[in-house]
Amino acid sequence: MSGVLIMAAAAVAGAAMIASPVSVHAVDAPACVVGYQVDQWSNGFVAQVKVTNNAAPVDGWTLTWTFAGDQHVTSGWSADLAQSGKVVTARNQAFNRGIATGASVQFGFQATFQGTNDTPTDFALNGVRCNDTSPPTTTTTTTTTTPQLPPPGCPSGGFCDGFENQTGTTPGGDWSLMFPNCQGTGTASVDSSTARSGTKSVRIDGRAGYCNHVFLAMSKGTSGSGLYTRFYVRHTTALPEQHVTFVAMKDTADGGKDLRMGGQNRALQWNRESDDATLPEQSPAGVAQSTPLAVNQWTCVEFGITGSELRTWVNGTEVAGLRADGVPTPDVDAQWLRRSGWRPALSNFRLGWESYGSGDDTLWFDDVVMAASRVGCS
Ligand code: CA
């Protein structure tokens, strides 16, 4: 047997293994193999699709499939998606139009659904049926690589991170650890045991005492005027009496001092580092207009900053005591409005923990979105 023939036989065997890890007798590799990995919640899901081309090189591709149930694509990435009835058509974008023999492309989408959400069984690449020699239901979920899911609700043009593309236990990529001024026992890590979506989140172990703080700073994107931010946070311990911070942003219009979100008197609050103003005021009547945060469950927190207006939502409901809109509100914004012309220019978005008193906490963050308009708690 010549070397060429041995090589060809090995290539066929290798391709067959990709298609079906349990099959030892497959002779013909399918022309294309589609991996379809779903991460779903009630009435919605994101799907990561991996298309492997085992036939001749492709320059420009269309992948089609038919939903078995009541699924509707709402957005996508790395492909242009269109749905007509139950049939979905995904077309390449300019950057991924070519698929060499044996190579793969990946794209994803977000969708809603009612009832069941079965994996489609009729994927076709440029009209050629995929997964053809593989068992139809067992291989589609085993051939994908590590997904890089944007979190649910990611709008086009927004910064979105569900931490699914983190590869180690120390946060990297768009995030870096920060211990301003001093470093103590605070730590931050990628956690694969707790996640709001996907399989990963960021875990913060913050301890009492200023120097036991830890922050995870985002290197890209901005959080300037007109920006809406959404994140999910999961606290282990209720917000304490004494002042803590778990989100901070540098305000370049305020001498580089931080605008901080955290807690005091057991309720959520905003704090301005430069003059220590709080929103709401920390009187009992002021604190009553904010809200404590639940423990051991994911809480959706949103805030929007447009010009000098600051608004805040928890689980989709605006918190009256966390609103500075320029109109004086008793017990809420007297300190805040003392600084006339406050108009933040924010950068260096940070998640973490900083305690100015006795507050300890272990907390998690996931599904961070920054966009030009409000994202909501999808
Ligand atoms: Ca995640």
Side-chain angles (χ1 to χ4, degrees):
M1 183 179 284
S2 76
V4 171
L5 282 173
I6 293 168
M7 291 278 288
V12 169
M17 284 180 65
I18 293 169
S20 172
V22 296
S23 170
V24 295
H25 297 296
V27 176
D28 298 319
C32 45
V33 174
V34 174
Y36 185 83
Q37 184 163 23
V38 163
D39 179 36
Q40 76 181 45
W41 58 98
S42 60
N43 301 330
F45 66 101
V46 289
Q48 188 77 15
V49 184
K50 180 181 179 182
V51 184
T52 302
N53 173 31
N54 291 326
V58 163
D59 183 27
W61 50 266
T62 299
L63 187 79
T64 56
W65 69 87
T66 307
F67 281 132
D70 186 23
Q71 294 101 329
H72 297 274
V73 174
T74 55
S75 63
W77 55 95
S78 301
D80 295 321
L81 289 112
Q83 182 170 354
S84 176
K86 293 178 180 297
V87 177
V88 180
T89 304
R91 289 192 170 83
N92 65 274
Q93 295 187 333
F95 77 93
N96 62 2
R97 61 177 291 124
I99 318 176
T101 303
S104 303
V105 295
Q106 293 192 55
F107 65 92
F109 64 89
Q110 183 170 346
T112 60
F113 76 99
Q114 301 288 331
T116 57
N117 185 25
D118 293 332
T119 298
T121 57
D122 65 340
F123 292 105
L125 177 66
N126 290 348
V128 177
R129 190 70 174 262
C130 298
N131 303 337
D132 226 0
T133 63
S134 58
T137 56
T138 55
T139 59
T140 52
T141 56
T142 58
T143 54
T144 55
T145 56
T146 304
Q148 300 195 357
L149 302 173
C154 185
S156 63
F159 171 86
C160 305
D161 199 343
F163 304 106
E164 298 302 304
N165 56 359
Q166 294 287 333
T167 53
T169 53
T170 301
D174 294 331
W175 303 89
S176 57
L177 289 170
M178 266 185 72
F179 306 91
N181 303 314
C182 51
Q183 183 174 355
T185 58
T187 60
S189 57
V190 176
D191 191 333
S192 297
S193 63
T194 299
R196 193 264 159 180
S197 75
T199 60
K200 296 174 184 173
S201 68
V202 162
R203 171 177 167 151
I204 304 285
D205 286 278
R207 295 292 167 253
Y210 174 80
C211 286
N212 294 323
H213 57 183
V214 55
F215 284 106
L216 209 51
M218 192 184 69
S219 61
K220 79 176 188 186
T222 60
S223 43
S225 181
L227 190 101
Y228 287 77
T229 298
R230 194 282 309 275
F231 61 89
Y232 281 81
V233 63
R234 182 185 180 104
H235 289 269
T236 304
T237 308
L239 292 172
E241 290 281 341
Q242 298 190 355
H243 186 199
V244 295
T245 290
F246 56 84
V247 174
M249 294 163 284
K250 181 179 178 179
D251 185 355
T252 57
D254 193 13
K257 298 295 187 181
D258 284 343
L259 176 64
R260 303 155 159 169
M261 172 182 275
Q264 196 166 348
N265 289 311
R266 304 184 180 184
L268 197 58
Q269 75 157 11
W270 287 100
N271 172 257
R272 201 160 52 199
E273 182 186 10
S274 60
D275 62 354
D276 208 29
T278 65
L279 188 76
E281 296 165 36
Q282 292 303 300
S283 63
V287 170
Q289 296 194 54
S290 183
T291 179
L293 291 181
V295 297
N296 301 322
Q297 65 185 58
W298 290 102
T299 299
C300 172
V301 178
E302 297 174 86
F303 63 88
I305 296 169
T306 51
S308 59
E309 183 177 277
L310 171 60
R311 295 174 67 185
T312 313
W313 296 262
V314 171
N315 290 331
T317 301
E318 184 166 16
V319 182
L322 299 172
R323 177 172 181 158
D325 57 8
V327 179
T329 305
D331 307 311
V332 171
D333 55 9
Q335 286 190 2
W336 212 258
L337 296 177
R338 216 170 279 158
R339 171 81 55 78
S340 64
W342 178 74
R343 192 181 177 89
L346 301 170
S347 62
N348 193 220
F349 177 81
R350 278 164 280 152
L351 302 169
W353 184 257
E354 189 166 83
S355 173
Y356 315 99
S358 57
D360 280 340
D361 200 6
T362 294
L363 62 162
W364 289 262
F365 292 96
D366 204 353
D367 293 345
V368 179
V369 176
M370 293 183 181
S373 58
R374 210 181 141 205
V375 173
C377 299
S378 55

